[in-house]
């Protein structure tokens, strides 16, 4: 197996020095603690960068506010669309560099960064850019009768909220960053984004590309560091909105901090324990293929990936046998190895958590396939399939965010709906069947922000995405994002 050669530009970037990107330029605070970025495929340090100081976080917000009030705030919607499309062009032109930075720091296969993350980032950004010139208010006729013959007219305006603080996780740093940056800039907001401390590189590179595209300095700032940097950002009085993607406990803390700071509005895209249901009529090969393609992609570190499989009892044996065969054949390897189908977990902390869960599963006798840590270097484990020990099995209740999928047989559809909804989460869910009537009847009964039929984890910029219950607050994509990044102002006139 051979690894993709690292581009000279990636090598130069990694040599640094690296820190944050504020007011249109790279800022390295030499006196600040350094943060190691580790290649999860080898467990070795890749580079390091300086964590942003509280003063730099404040400077980034002030710079973003200035851009919001002046340079970015005074661009026309048409110009915003043009500039965002130009940034999309630059992402495309520098796609291999961004893909390599992302794969090296996250352990995501180079296939996935080349074929999904980078092209999707471009597609989402272009989608948002198209909205820039189409954000409108409404006109309405006031309803109360006039007393003295005077008349009234009213209309609403959609006004950008101001500075948006984006906080992102480590699984799809570039793409999730683009979801936040694209939404905010399209609406006329400016951004300070804090990437995950594990994967800070691609957004740092993106910030420079934004300036190269002609987006005014200060419009997009990147501050790097751990959770404390996120906390400082949320607490800043000039932050008008927080857009967070990450785990439930951090999301709850972020929501509370934003509320305490300034009643700051929040979008929370959180975790899931997503169910996939396979009805009695399902085609076994299609089911196996669908599960391999969605549950194990990026080693299961995908928020909407299915982790709970409810399979009709008549199909459990065949589907599990098919899965075990396919998973056993998966080629495990370095993220930069084009032949590898399954890479490392994203970081050592996460690896420790998943290894402990696999130990538990083995000791409980649940493993149907996989179930072991793999020897290093790097943070590798086997793709794993478990059999549930009842509805209260922790593997059917708690998000693992790893390649651990748990199967529970069901007998009838009433039981299925009860099991699928018996979860504090509600991000995504899927139903696999060729019986259209059954699918249509199940859709409204499933508690999830997205229900897929005969597919799973497919995200499209035109289709709103977000969670119900403990999986979050607010929606991204579609036109739904506009509500979250603009204030509705009402205007009334007497004549
Ligand atoms: P995490 O919650 O640990 O961290 C997310 C981000 O929050 C990081 O940038 C981190 O530095 C920052 N952070 C940590 N503590 C903070 C604090 N107190 N205040 C402000 N910021 C803080 O999540 P993770 O481990 O990076 O990502 C995995 C989680 O993200 C999983 O639960 C997954 O389901 C979820 N996720 C959800 C979606 C979605 O769209 N719903 C997408 C991807 C990942």
């Amino acid at each position: 197996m051979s690894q993709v050669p690292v581009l000279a530009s990636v090598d130069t970037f990694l040599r640094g020095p690296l820190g944050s990107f504020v007011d249109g330029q790279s800022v390295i605070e030499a006196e600040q603690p350094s943060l190691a970025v580790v290649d999860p495929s080898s467990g070795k340090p890749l580079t390091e960068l300086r964590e942003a100081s509280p003063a730099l976080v404040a400077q980034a917000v002030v710079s973003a506010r200035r851009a919001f009030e002046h340079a970015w705030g005074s661009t026309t919607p048409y110009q915003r669309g043009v500039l965002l499309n130009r940034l999309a062009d630059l992402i495309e032109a520098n796609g291999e560099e961004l893909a390599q930075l992302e794969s090296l720091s996250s352990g995501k296969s180079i296939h996935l960064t080349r074929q999904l993350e980078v092209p999707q980032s471009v597609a989402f950004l272009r989608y948002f850019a198209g909205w820039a010139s189409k954000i409108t208010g409404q006109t309405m006729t006031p309803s109360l009768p006039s007393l003295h013959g005077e008349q009234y007219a009213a209309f609403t305006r959609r006004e950008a909220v101001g500075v948006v603080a984006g906080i992102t996780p480590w699984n799809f740093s570039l793409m999730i960053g683009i979801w936040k940056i694209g939404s905010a800039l399209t609406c006329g907001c400016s951004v300070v984004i804090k990437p995950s401390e594990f994967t800070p590189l691609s957004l740092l590179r993106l910030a420079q590309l934004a300036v190269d595209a002609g987006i005014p300095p200060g419009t997009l700032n990147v501050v790097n560091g751990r959770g404390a940097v996120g906390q400082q950002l949320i607490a800043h009085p000039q932050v008008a909105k927080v857009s967070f993607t990450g785990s439930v406990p951090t999301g709850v803390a972020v929501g509370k901090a934003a509320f305490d700071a300034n009643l700051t509005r929040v979008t929370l895209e959180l975790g899931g324990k997503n169910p996939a249901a396979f009805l009695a009529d399902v085609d076994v090969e299609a089911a196996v293929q669908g599960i391999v393609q969605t549950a194990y992609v990026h080693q299961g570190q995908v928020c909407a990936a299915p982790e709970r499989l409810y399979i009709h009892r008549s199909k459990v044996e065949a589907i599990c046998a098919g899965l075990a065969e396919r998973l056993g054949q998966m080629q495990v390897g370095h993220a930069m190895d084009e032949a590898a189908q399954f890479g490392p977990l994203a970081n050592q902390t996460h690896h420790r958590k998943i290894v402990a869960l696999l130990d538990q599963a083995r000791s409980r006798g649940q493993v149907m396939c996989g179930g072991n840590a793999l020897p290093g270097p790097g943070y590798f484990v086997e793709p794993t399939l478990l059999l549930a020990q009842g509805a209260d099995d922790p593997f059917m209740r708690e998000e693992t965010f790893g390649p651990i999928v748990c199967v529970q047989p069901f007998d009838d559809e009433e039981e299925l709906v009860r099991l699928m909804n018996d979860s504090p989460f509600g991000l995504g869910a899927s139903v696999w069947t060729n019986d259209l009537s059954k699918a249509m009847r199940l859709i409204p009964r499933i508690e999830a922000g997205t229900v897929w039929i005969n597919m799973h984890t497919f995200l499209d910029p035109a289709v709103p995405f977000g969670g119900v219950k403990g999986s979050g607050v607010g929606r991204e994509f579609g036109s739904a994002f506009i509500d979250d990044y603009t204030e509705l102002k009402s205007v009334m006139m007497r004549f």
Side-chain angles (χ1 to χ4, degrees), residues 167-172 176 179-180 194-198 225-232 234 244-251 253-254 257 268-272 301-304 347 350 353 399 401 425 427 459 465-467 471 476-477:
I167 300 177
T168 53
W170 43 255
N171 62 335
F172 285 91
I176 294 176
W179 295 351
K180 303 196 181 310
K194 192 206 84 64
S196 166
E197 57 273 38
F198 294 107
R226 302 177 178 86
V229 171
Q231 281 170 355
Q232 289 150 19
I234 297 166
F244 172 84
T245 300
S247 63
V248 173
T250 311
V254 163
L268 301 174
E269 294 291 352
L270 309 181
Q301 302 165 126
V302 178
C303 58
N347 57 67
H350 193 50
K353 174 188 144 181
E399 181 187 45
F401 209 54
F425 297 107
L427 188 57
L459 301 185
F465 177 68
S471 287
E476 299 190 287
F477 323 153

Side-chain angles (χ1 to χ4, degrees), residues 140-154 491-495:
M140 52 267 291
T141 306
S143 60
L144 295 178
S146 96
L147 293 177
H148 307 292
E150 72 275 26
Q151 292 186 34
Y152 298 89
V491 180
M492 288 187 72
M493 301 163 70
R494 183 169 61 190
F495 58 95

Side-chain angles (χ1 to χ4, degrees), residues 292-313:
V292 171
Q293 282 174 346
T294 57
Y296 296 94
V297 74
H298 192 16
Q299 294 72 259
Q301 302 165 126
V302 178
C303 58
E307 285 199 8
R308 297 185 276 153
L309 305 186
Y310 297 105
I311 305 181
H312 190 268
R313 199 173 294 279

